[in-house]
């Protein structure tokens, strides 16, 4: 009798869920980074993913939920040989016009005291991902970020 071949794992997946408040984003990021490390995702690539996810998740907490505690927040990740796909879900306020911000680079001209405090996040997210999509259905936002692995 022939031995049964073990299936080859072609993708890794994880689904993480929490509620906003306290250290929710930090803990969610920590779990996500442990999963990527366990899957063998390179440290340099994990750092870039962590930076983008931190920016996006904190935007949900600040702008989507207005810092309100207890809002559902989800993160799903799937790693294949070509792509890391991260999907963030929430039930906070949608983006204006239900469209992603353009993410133009903030102007850095002028005196240091007049430099903008914010406005860098979406430019950074767009620069560090290979693709991204936003959907809003039935009061639920879904932001999908793609990172090229190759």
């Amino acid at each position: 009798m022939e031995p049964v071949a073990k299936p080859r794992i072609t993708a890794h997946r994880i689904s993480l869920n929490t509620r906003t408040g306290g250290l929710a984003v930090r803990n969610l990021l920590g779990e996500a980074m442990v999963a990527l490390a366990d899957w063998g995702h390179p440290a340099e690539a994990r750092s870039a993913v962590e930076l983008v996810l931190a920016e996006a998740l904190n935007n949900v907490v600040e702008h989507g939920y207005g810092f309100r505690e207890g809002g559902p927040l989800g993160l799903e990740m799937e790693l294949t040989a070509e792509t890391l796909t991260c999907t963030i879900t929430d039930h906070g306020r949608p983006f204006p016009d239900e469209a992603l911000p353009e993410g133009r680079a903030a102007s850095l001209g002028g005196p240091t005291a007049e430099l903008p405090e914010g406005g860098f996040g979406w430019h950074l997210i767009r620069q560090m991902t290979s693709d991204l999509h936003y959907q809003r259905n039935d009061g639920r936002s879904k932001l999908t970020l793609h990172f090229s692995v190759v």
Side-chain angles (χ1 to χ4, degrees), residues 28-75:
L28 196 65
L29 283 171
E31 289 184 51
M33 294 306 106
V34 166
L36 289 176
D38 288 348
W39 298 343
H41 201 55
E44 184 177 308
R46 285 195 313 269
S47 294
V49 171
E50 184 174 26
L51 182 62
V52 168
L53 288 178
E55 183 64 37
L57 289 166
N58 282 313
N59 277 344
V60 169
V61 170
E62 180 179 355
H63 302 291
Y65 286 114
F67 295 107
R68 179 175 52 87
E69 294 192 8
L73 184 60
L75 172 62

Side-chain angles (χ1 to χ4, degrees), residues 1-149:
M1 179 188 239
E2 292 281 325
V4 176
K6 292 184 179 180
R8 202 175 105 200
I9 297 174
T10 57
H12 297 282
R13 291 183 187 92
I14 190 169
S15 181
L16 304 166
N17 294 286
T18 191
R19 297 216 170 251
T20 57
L23 299 175
V25 168
R26 176 186 268 180
N27 294 338
L28 196 65
L29 283 171
E31 289 184 51
M33 294 306 106
V34 166
L36 289 176
D38 288 348
W39 298 343
H41 201 55
E44 184 177 308
R46 285 195 313 269
S47 294
V49 171
E50 184 174 26
L51 182 62
V52 168
L53 288 178
E55 183 64 37
L57 289 166
N58 282 313
N59 277 344
V60 169
V61 170
E62 180 179 355
H63 302 291
Y65 286 114
F67 295 107
R68 179 175 52 87
E69 294 192 8
L73 184 60
L75 172 62
E76 294 182 7
M77 297 190 313
E78 179 179 16
L79 178 64
T80 66
E82 296 84 26
T83 306
L84 170 64
T85 303
C86 300
T87 303
I88 297 170
T89 56
D90 68 86
H91 293 271
R93 288 185 299 271
F95 283 103
D97 300 321
E98 295 188 10
L100 290 173
E102 287 183 28
R104 290 189 197 131
S107 174
L108 300 178
T112 303
E114 294 178 16
L115 290 176
E117 184 177 319
F120 300 95
W122 279 102
H123 178 71
L124 177 127
I125 290 169
R126 287 184 178 279
Q127 292 298 309
M128 297 181 81
T129 57
S130 58
D131 196 16
L132 63 158
H133 301 280
Y134 174 73
Q135 290 179 296
R136 180 76 178 187
N137 293 314
D138 298 323
R140 179 176 176 242
S141 290
K142 180 177 172 182
L143 174 64
T144 305
L145 307 131
H146 300 275
F147 300 84
S148 181
V149 172

